[in-house]
């Protein structure tokens, strides 16, 4: 316990020093105007990475005996209530009240990972999509691949198209799919690097379900940017995001 406490304090101090004041000042002006009094509580969470919650999404394609009992011993519980209108039995996700990180698993070619770490809120659009077996599904802005993996925990689409325009992020997406999905099912998956704004014209009315996780401002990451000049550039670019998001949705 004392070792964990010391590490926590060390991590807290280290992360606190990394806050980019230029970005924080920008957020203070923008979100005070937009959120009013609520901004103070949002700010506390945004500036405290050691308190961010991470969910553990289990991979139904990988054998992991003892993993769920180990999670239970560490205080984890199912992230979503069984009463949800759409919650497939194979979809198993755990979180806990106490903040903390579960250890990540490294990519190993030819070996499937047992779980994927992400924010549990990221899974809400996947559950809202209610994918059924045999449906043709498009994940329009798929990298790094967490939602694609989650969709495949819910159902087996007839055809699954994962698209990512950015070349580096596309390679990351391919690695994620390789890490979580067995070969027979990978044959049903198409990974492309198309401009998402053009897919609707290229394949009109082809898909049963489309997930659009549009590029966002990613405030948490940029708040801890180590390069103030890069952060300023990013703050300028984020003003154009709403236009891009609209075009992708359209």
């Amino acid at each position: 316990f004392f070792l964990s406490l010391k590490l926590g304090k060390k991590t807290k101090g280290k992360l606190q020093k990394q806050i980019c004041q230029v970005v924080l000042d920008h957020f203070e002006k923008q979100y005070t105007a937009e959120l009013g009094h609520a901004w103070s509580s949002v700010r506390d969470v945004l500036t405290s990475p050691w308190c961010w919650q991470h969910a553990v999404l289990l991979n139904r394609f990988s054998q992991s005996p003892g993993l769920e009992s180990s999670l239970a011993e560490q205080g984890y519980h199912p992230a979503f209530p069984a009463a949800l209108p759409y919650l497939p039995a194979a979809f198993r996700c755990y979180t806990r009240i106490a903040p903390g990180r579960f250890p990540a698993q490294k990519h190993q070619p030819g070996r499937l990972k047992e779980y994927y770490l992400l924010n549990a809120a990221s899974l809400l659009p996947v559950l809202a999509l209610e994918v059924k077996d045999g449906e043709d599904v498009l994940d329009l802005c798929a990298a790094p691949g967490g939602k694609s993996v989650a969709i495949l925990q819910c159902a087996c689409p007839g055809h699954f198209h994962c698209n990512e325009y950015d070349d580096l992020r596309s390679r990351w997406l391919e690695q994620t799919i390789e890490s979580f999905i067995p070969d027979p099912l990978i044959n049903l998956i198409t990974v492309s690097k198309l401009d998402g704004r053009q897919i609707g014209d290229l394949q009109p009315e082809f898909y049963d379900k489309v997930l659009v996780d549009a590029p966002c401002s990613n405030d948490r990451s940029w708040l801890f940017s180590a390069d103030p000049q890069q952060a300023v550039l990013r703050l300028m670019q984020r003003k154009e995001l709403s236009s891009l998001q609209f075009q992708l949705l359209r």
Side-chain angles (χ1 to χ4, degrees):
F1 172 79
F2 291 109
L3 177 61
S4 299
L5 188 61
K6 289 179 181 178
L7 288 174
K9 289 181 178 179
K10 182 179 180 180
T11 303
K12 180 176 179 179
K14 181 179 179 182
L15 288 172
Q16 189 66 38
K17 293 178 183 179
Q18 293 178 351
I19 289 179
C20 182
Q21 194 61 44
V22 173
V23 178
L24 182 58
D25 290 344
H26 180 89
F27 288 170
E28 291 282 6
K29 294 178 181 178
Q30 177 184 348
Y31 291 130
T32 296
E34 294 181 2
L35 301 177
H37 295 301
W39 164 238
S40 60
S41 58
V42 173
R43 183 185 187 277
D44 290 342
V45 176
L46 191 65
T47 57
S48 306
W50 52 91
C51 291
W52 297 348
Q53 299 237 358
H54 292 79
V56 183
L57 176 65
L58 303 195
N59 184 14
R60 67 175 174 135
F61 305 110
S62 175
Q63 298 297 322
S64 51
L67 178 56
E68 288 182 277
S69 59
S70 175
L71 287 168
E73 291 173 0
Q74 297 178 58
Y76 283 85
H77 56 84
F80 303 103
L84 285 179
Y86 178 81
L87 190 68
F91 188 87
R92 296 171 297 160
C93 181
Y94 293 86
T95 188
R96 64 178 179 179
I97 296 176
R101 283 181 178 269
F102 201 71
Q105 292 181 314
K106 293 183 178 180
H107 172 70
Q108 299 183 46
R111 182 175 180 179
L112 296 180
K113 292 185 178 182
E114 297 176 341
Y115 53 84
Y116 192 100
L117 302 179
L118 77 174
N119 190 312
S122 299
L123 298 171
L124 293 174
V126 172
L127 295 176
L129 204 59
E130 298 189 0
V131 176
K132 306 295 193 303
D133 289 346
E135 290 183 323
D136 295 320
V137 181
L138 167 64
D139 189 350
L140 189 67
C141 311
K147 293 180 178 65
S148 295
V149 168
I151 286 173
L152 292 167
Q153 304 304 311
C154 295
C156 182
H159 176 70
F160 191 27
H161 182 178
C162 301
N163 182 72
E164 176 55 51
Y165 183 64
D166 182 83
D167 186 64
L168 180 60
R169 288 173 59 84
S170 181
R171 292 198 295 272
W172 188 4
L173 170 64
E174 290 177 342
Q175 186 179 90
T176 299
I177 291 174
E178 179 186 336
S179 294
F180 285 91
I181 311 304
D183 288 337
L185 194 55
I186 283 183
N187 295 332
L188 302 176
I189 302 173
T190 298
V191 178
S192 66
K193 293 186 288 186
L194 300 171
D195 185 333
R197 294 169 291 186
Q198 299 174 357
I199 293 180
D201 293 326
L202 295 172
Q203 296 178 301
E205 300 184 23
F206 179 80
Y207 300 100
D208 299 301
K209 305 282 176 67
V210 179
L211 178 66
V212 185
D213 183 15
C216 67
S217 56
N218 204 2
D219 287 353
R220 291 197 305 190
S221 294
W222 285 100
L223 180 58
F224 291 88
S225 172
D227 186 341
Q229 291 183 335
Q230 190 180 32
V232 171
L233 178 61
R234 178 62 177 173
L235 289 173
M236 295 173 60
Q237 293 174 337
R238 75 199 294 270
K239 295 180 181 179
E240 303 172 1
L241 283 173
S242 59
S243 175
L244 173 60
Q245 291 166 350
F246 174 78
Q247 292 170 32
L248 288 167
L249 288 170
R250 184 179 62 184

